[in-house]
């Protein structure tokens, strides 16, 4: 696949990539269906399959199988036994090695890769095992080292490595906690602090099927989150900080210094975006600009990934090579191309460390490193093997990255771009005697076509994951990328790199100004595209099944080389239909029982809430493909609230109640078909009840109406017990359906008149 040569058909290409045209479409292969038509079709299919199974075609499928094993691990209801998973993986790898000269070798390797991925994910979880807070704690005394710090738009946030913890309700075993503080009061990284805080368990999914934030925090070693109460006291540490903390403090100091230098020239969103592009800290970007960037399809610019790493490595590579080329002695006698690749590799490694080494950045660095190393050893590098090696490295180091949207979107986009290079580039590079294409290339037509195709392919490849995780797509993403990315590539990023180089000498101000002008253009493009009619493509939530099908379709389209790849398009079409037919929830209940959304007769959600949670409401509305904001007054239309709670009619006219006080339960039991309450319900209540005990055990709930009542989906279904989401003990297993006999009979009207209305003759 990666070695250029001649295929058996005599056509120049890449060995193992394309089957001979004569073999792919033999005469009669597309004959009309009839007598004797099947044998040519079957033979054509066999030849396509043989071409796909040719030399060099197995390696790209190994990380796919490895990822499938990791996905199986995260789908388990309870934690697997590490020793059993390891023994099975080792045994299957040994079997694959013994079958290396047999026809079953490919199948054995794939099966062994699945088992190995499962075992590696199990081992990773066991290695990072730590305590997780189960219940809120309202006044906790903490001491520890500050490991990281984030500067955000409204508040700052830091991660504390706990040295001691004290509370009146016990002493939980927590290794790290993440705390929010007033803006500008976050302590320095590496300092030892004492403070009081209010702690909460890690944020669970806001609805069944939504993103699990607690899983992310678990693999970061964080067992609780919360905010600081009062002042933070910095004291002398009882022990040395250690190398890890000293390194973190050094890198944080470097990021702060860069941000301070940029702040001298730029301000507002320009400064925040410039800092995000260079250091990876993007939380200070204002919400309107951040939303415009993602709606327009330019959100990928804010997350340091393959594009940024490629620009950094490319600028350094060509700058060093051009500088060395000025000396003829070096040009003639030394491999300056390899020296330039080594310099670019060092620059990419520094950029990785400076930006915080997130998953997307790691993947980008590994791919860039493979490409540059291939240049140094005189090998062709932009192949599926490069992507496969990068994927295996990232998944082996951090298996949890597989379920993160950054990994999914990053690798999907890269797979599409590599496929474009392998398939589309040969058609865009003209032969020397092809005068028409040569004229187009002379005027930049080829570059424009490649930019257009790259934006289109990357956007389409990431669409399933954007729709699943963020419930929106960017219909005009190609337009925004065509208008903004050339400026970012030619002006913003090079100016940023030159600013970093000039900063020690004090001449960086002009480069930050140039960078800011390019960012101005990018923001203008993002806001213009986001304001276009139909720019926001809202997508209602769908299950994991359509996402898996879409992923399979993307992989087939990207990895297969014969016309069999069009089976991926068919699978994608099935995934789209499947996602469109996903049923919507009729009732959503938050994990604390203080927010309830009910689908009314108008088909839209209406909120009953005893505590406002804008983030929760925003997620619920996005998952319902609802363009309203969390503060939209129409959300409370038809909702009647008083001190006892809230009531609203559902689509069928039956009432749903959110009850706060015990004295309101008698009336709610008589009139409502479903009650959500933390209060004890009186015996004989005719309504179905969702109580605090059920919410404590199962978290947030989503209810779908059927003929007899409601089908219940829970954030934590019965039997689920994972380290980041431990099971809560309780009696019995909660039912998965609620039966409703029918709407309660209307209450008899009290005919007693009020005393003020009585007349003398009465």
């Amino acid at each position: 696949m990666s070695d250029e040569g001649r295929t058996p058909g005599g056509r120049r290409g890449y060995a193992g990539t394309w089957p001979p045209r004569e073999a792919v479409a033999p005469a009669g292969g597309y004959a009309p269906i009839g007598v004797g038509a099947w044998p040519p079709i079957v033979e054509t299919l066999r030849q396509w399959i043989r071409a796909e199974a040719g030399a060099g075609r197995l390696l790209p499928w190994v990380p796919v199988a490895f990822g499938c094993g990791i996905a199986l691990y995260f789908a388990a209801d309870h934690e697997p036994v590490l020793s059993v998973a390891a023994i099975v993986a080792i045994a299957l790898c040994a079997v694959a090695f013994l079958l290396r000269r047999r026809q079953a070798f490919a199948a054995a390797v794939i099966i062994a890769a699945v088992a190995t991925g499962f075992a590696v994910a199990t081992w990773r979880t066991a290695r990072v095992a730590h305590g997780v807070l189960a219940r809120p704690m309202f006044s906790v005394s903490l001491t520890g080292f500050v490991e990281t710090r984030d500067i955000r738009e409204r508040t700052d946030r830091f991660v504390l490595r706990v040295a001691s913890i004290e509370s009146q309700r016990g002493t939980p075993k927590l290794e790290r906690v993440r705390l929010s503080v007033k803006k500008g009061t976050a302590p320095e990284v590496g300092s030892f602090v004492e403070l009081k805080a209010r702690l909460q368990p890690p944020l669970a999914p806001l609805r069944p099927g939504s993103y699990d934030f607690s899983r992310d925090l678990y693999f970061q070693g964080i067992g609780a989150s919360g905010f600081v109460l009062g002042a933070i006291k910095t004291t002398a540490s009882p022990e040395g900080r250690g190398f890890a903390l000293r390194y973190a403090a050094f890198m944080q100091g470097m990021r702060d210094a860069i941000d301070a230098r940029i702040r001298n020239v730029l301000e507002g969103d320009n400064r925040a975006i410039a800092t995000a592009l260079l250091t990876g800290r993007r939380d200070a970007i204002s919400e309107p600009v951040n939303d415009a960037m993602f709606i327009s399809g330019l959100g990928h610019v804010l997350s340091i990934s393959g594009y940024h790493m490629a620009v950094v490595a490319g600028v350094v590579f060509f700058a060093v090579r051009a500088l060395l080329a000025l000396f003829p002695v070096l040009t003639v006698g030394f491999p300056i191309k390899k020296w330039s690749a080594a310099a670019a590799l060092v620059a990419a490694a520094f950029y990785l460390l400076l930006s915080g080494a997130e998953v997307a950045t790691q993947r980008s660095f590994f791919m860039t490193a493979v490409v540059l190393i291939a240049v140094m050893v005189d090998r062709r590098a932009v192949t599926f093997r490069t992507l496969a090696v990068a994927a295996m490295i990232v998944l082996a180091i951090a298996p949890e990255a597989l379920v993160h949207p950054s990994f999914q979107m990053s690798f999907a986009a890269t797979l599409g771009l590599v496929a474009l290079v392998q398939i589309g580039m040969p058609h865009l590079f003209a032969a020397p005697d092809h005068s028409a294409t040569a004229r187009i290339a002379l005027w930049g037509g080829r570059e424009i076509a490649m930019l257009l195709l790259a934006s289109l392919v990357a956007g389409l490849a990431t669409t399933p994951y954007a729709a699943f995780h963020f419930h929106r797509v960017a219909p005009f993403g190609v337009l925004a990328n065509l208008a903004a990315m050339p400026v970012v590539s030619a002006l913003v990023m090079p100016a940023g790199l030159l600013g970093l180089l000039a900063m020690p000498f004090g001449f960086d101000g002009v480069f930050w100004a140039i960078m800011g002008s390019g960012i101005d253009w990018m923001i203008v493009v993002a806001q213009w595209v986001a304001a276009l009619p139909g720019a926001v493509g809202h997508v209602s939530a769908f299950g994991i099944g359509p996402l898996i099908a879409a992923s399979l379709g993307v992989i087939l389209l990207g990895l297969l080389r014969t016309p069999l790849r069009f089976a991926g398009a068919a699978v994608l079409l099935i995934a789209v239909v499947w996602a469109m037919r996903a049923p919507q929830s009729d009732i959503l209940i938050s994990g604390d029982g203080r927010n309830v959304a009910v689908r009314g007769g108008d088909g839209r959600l209406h909120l009953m809430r005893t505590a406002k949670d804008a983030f929760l409401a925003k997620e619920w509305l996005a998952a319902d493909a609802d363009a309203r904001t969390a503060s939209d007054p129409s959300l409370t239309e038809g909702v009647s609230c008083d001190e006892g709670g809230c009531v609203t009619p559902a689509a069928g006219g039956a009432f749903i109640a959110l009850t706060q006080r015990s004295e309101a339960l008698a009336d709610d039991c008589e009139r409502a078909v479903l009650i959500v309450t933390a209060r004890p319900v009186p015996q004989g209540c005719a309504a179905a009840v969702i109580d605090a005990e059920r919410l404590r055990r199962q978290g947030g709930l989503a209810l779908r109406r059927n003929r007899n009542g409601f089908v219940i989906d829970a954030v934590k279904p019965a039997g689920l017990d994972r380290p980041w989401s431990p099971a809560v003990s309780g009696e019995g297993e909660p039912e998965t359906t609620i039966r409703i006999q029918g709407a309660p009979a209307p209450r008899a009207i009290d005919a007693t008149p009020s005393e003020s209305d009585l007349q003398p003759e009465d």
Side-chain angles (χ1 to χ4, degrees):
M1 178 184 65
S2 60
D3 299 325
E4 190 172 5
R6 293 187 178 275
T7 62
R11 298 184 64 86
R12 190 170 180 82
Y14 295 100
T17 299
W18 289 97
R21 290 185 180 272
E22 294 78 1
V24 171
Y30 296 100
I33 300 299
V35 179
W38 284 112
I41 295 176
V42 172
E43 181 60 26
T44 299
L45 291 175
R46 287 177 178 174
Q47 291 183 2
W48 288 345
I49 294 173
R50 282 196 294 268
E52 297 293 353
R57 298 298 303 142
L58 176 61
L59 180 60
W61 292 98
V62 173
V64 175
F66 191 84
C68 288
I70 296 173
L72 288 174
Y73 165 80
F74 284 107
D77 290 332
H78 59 84
E79 197 61 20
V81 180
L82 176 59
S83 58
V84 174
I87 291 172
V88 171
I90 293 171
L92 289 175
C93 288
V95 170
F97 178 78
L98 295 175
L99 295 176
R100 64 189 182 279
R101 300 187 184 277
R102 299 177 182 268
Q103 280 189 329
F105 174 67
V109 168
I110 295 301
I111 295 173
V114 173
T116 304
F118 188 89
V120 168
T122 307
W123 172 78
R124 167 68 173 166
T125 302
R127 188 165 65 88
V128 302
H130 59 86
V132 176
L133 187 66
R135 291 178 178 271
M137 302 182 72
F138 297 101
S139 182
V140 183
S141 297
L142 295 167
T143 65
F145 289 98
V146 178
E147 288 193 337
T148 64
R149 184 183 64 182
D150 295 326
I151 308 299
R152 303 191 297 171
E153 183 185 6
R154 297 180 181 176
T155 60
D156 295 341
R157 191 168 61 187
F158 66 94
V159 173
L160 184 73
R161 191 178 73 188
V162 177
S164 67
I165 178 170
E166 296 179 1
S167 173
Q168 295 179 351
R169 296 183 54 185
T171 306
K173 295 182 179 180
L174 301 175
E175 294 184 8
R176 290 176 180 84
V177 297
R178 189 173 68 184
L179 301 171
S180 296
V181 294
K182 183 180 179 181
K183 189 168 181 62
T185 61
E188 296 292 333
V189 173
S191 59
F192 189 83
V193 298
E194 298 177 358
L195 53 87
K196 287 187 177 292
R198 178 176 296 180
L199 299 181
Q200 297 281 347
L203 183 62
L206 299 177
R207 57 174 182 80
S210 68
Y211 192 73
D212 194 345
F213 300 96
S214 62
R215 182 181 57 208
D216 267 4
L217 292 181
Y218 180 84
F219 283 101
Q220 295 174 33
I222 298 173
S225 60
F227 57 90
V228 172
L229 299 172
I232 300 174
K233 182 181 179 182
T234 301
T235 63
S237 62
E239 57 184 16
R241 294 189 298 174
F243 174 77
L245 276 175
R246 289 198 300 270
Y247 164 77
F250 173 77
M251 296 306 299
Q252 186 66 46
M254 186 177 296
R255 297 186 191 105
D256 291 342
I258 293 171
D259 182 60
R261 298 290 294 183
I262 295 174
R263 192 187 298 270
N264 290 333
V265 180
L266 304 178
E267 59 183 12
D269 289 311
N270 286 36
R271 190 268 303 174
I273 293 176
T275 300
L277 294 177
L278 297 178
T279 68
R281 300 192 325 197
R282 57 183 183 273
D283 292 329
I285 303 172
S286 66
E287 187 174 352
V289 171
N290 190 68
D291 288 343
M293 293 289 289
F294 280 94
I295 291 172
S296 64
L298 291 175
H300 65 92
V301 178
L302 303 179
S303 177
I304 295 177
S305 57
Y307 165 76
H308 306 77
M309 195 67 68
V311 171
V312 169
V315 169
V316 173
F317 177 84
F318 289 110
V320 172
R321 191 174 185 185
L323 181 63
L324 295 176
L326 296 176
F327 303 93
V329 176
L330 297 178
T331 305
V332 175
F334 297 93
I336 62 172
K337 181 179 179 181
K338 297 181 180 181
W339 291 1
S340 303
L345 182 60
V346 173
F350 173 76
Y351 191 42
L352 171 72
L353 299 177
L354 180 65
S355 61
E358 293 185 353
V359 172
T361 318
Q362 292 178 28
R363 190 273 310 164
S364 309
F365 172 75
F366 291 135
M367 283 206 65
T368 304
V370 172
V371 170
L372 294 173
I373 292 172
V375 171
M376 287 187 266
V377 297
D378 298 319
R379 293 294 300 271
R380 186 173 179 270
V382 184
T383 65
F384 292 106
R385 293 184 181 184
T386 307
L387 183 63
V389 171
M392 285 297 296
I393 293 174
V394 172
L395 292 177
I397 294 174
E400 68 275 10
L402 181 77
V403 293
H404 197 281
S406 174
F407 176 91
Q408 296 167 4
M409 299 179 72
S410 180
F411 270 93
T414 307
L415 175 61
L417 294 175
V418 174
L420 177 63
V421 170
Q422 294 279 303
I423 300 172
M425 290 284 282
H427 296 283
L428 290 174
F429 281 83
D433 58 345
H434 201 305
S435 58
T437 310
R439 286 196 299 271
I440 294 175
L442 181 64
W443 289 96
R446 185 173 60 194
E447 286 71 19
I448 295 175
M450 282 305 300
L451 181 60
L452 177 64
L453 286 174
S455 300
L456 181 62
V457 168
L460 291 176
T462 57
T463 293
Y465 308 101
F468 179 80
H469 292 289
F470 309 115
H471 315 298
R472 61 188 180 193
V473 295
F476 302 127
V478 174
L479 177 62
N481 280 274
L482 283 176
M485 294 313 295
V487 174
V488 177
S489 302
L491 190 66
V492 175
M493 289 301 296
L497 293 177
L498 291 174
L500 291 178
L501 292 175
M503 200 171 78
F505 306 99
F507 296 103
D508 52 314
V510 63
F511 298 110
W512 304 139
I514 295 173
M515 194 177 185
S517 64
I519 292 174
D520 279 333
W521 170 253
M522 183 174 64
I523 293 176
V524 168
V525 170
Q527 293 177 333
W528 172 66
V529 173
L532 293 175
V536 184
H538 296 286
V539 180
S540 58
F542 52 88
I544 192 67
L547 183 68
I548 294 175
S551 300
L552 177 60
V554 171
I555 292 171
L556 292 177
L557 278 172
L559 291 185
L560 296 183
R561 300 275 66 82
T562 67
L564 287 175
R565 66 178 179 273
F566 294 113
V571 176
L572 277 174
L573 181 60
I574 293 173
V576 170
V577 175
W578 190 356
M580 293 177 62
R581 294 179 61 85
Q584 292 181 305
S585 301
D586 293 301
I587 300 175
L588 292 168
I589 304 173
S590 64
D592 58 5
R594 303 173 72 181
N595 293 267
V596 179
V598 180
R599 193 173 304 281
D602 58 357
R604 301 196 299 176
L605 293 178
H606 299 267
L607 292 184
M608 298 186 294
R609 46 192 175 187
T610 58
K612 291 187 177 181
D613 188 336
F615 183 65
L616 174 74
K618 183 178 179 180
E619 164 63 21
W620 281 359
L621 292 172
D624 203 52
D626 194 327
R628 292 177 293 175
T629 63
S631 59
D632 195 308
S634 65
L635 290 173
T636 56
E637 288 181 358
V639 178
S640 177
C641 293
D642 56 21
E643 293 181 353
C646 299
V647 176
T648 190
F655 283 95
I656 311 298
L658 172 60
T659 308
Q660 279 190 287
R661 295 190 174 184
S662 300
E663 53 267 27
L665 283 169
D667 192 45
D668 290 343
C669 284
E670 186 178 352
R671 303 186 63 184
V673 297
L674 177 69
I675 297 173
V676 179
T677 183
R679 305 296 180 183
V681 179
Q683 293 185 354
C685 181
V689 177
I690 301 292
D691 58 13
E693 174 64 19
R694 176 165 196 154
L695 294 174
R696 185 178 69 87
R697 295 172 60 184
Q698 293 197 299
L701 303 177
L703 282 64
R704 289 180 289 108
R705 190 72 185 256
N706 62 10
R707 294 181 179 180
N708 300 319
F710 294 99
V711 177
I712 302 176
D713 293 322
V715 165
K716 296 170 60 176
L720 181 66
D721 185 13
R722 303 308 298 269
W724 54 87
S725 182
V728 179
S729 60
E731 296 182 2
E733 294 293 343
E735 65 276 8
T736 58
T737 59
I738 294 179
R739 296 183 62 86
I740 296 177
Q741 301 299 328
R747 183 174 59 173
I749 300 176
D750 188 357
T752 305
S754 64
E755 294 183 4
S756 60
D757 292 335
L758 292 175
Q759 300 179 17
E761 61 269 23
D762 294 332

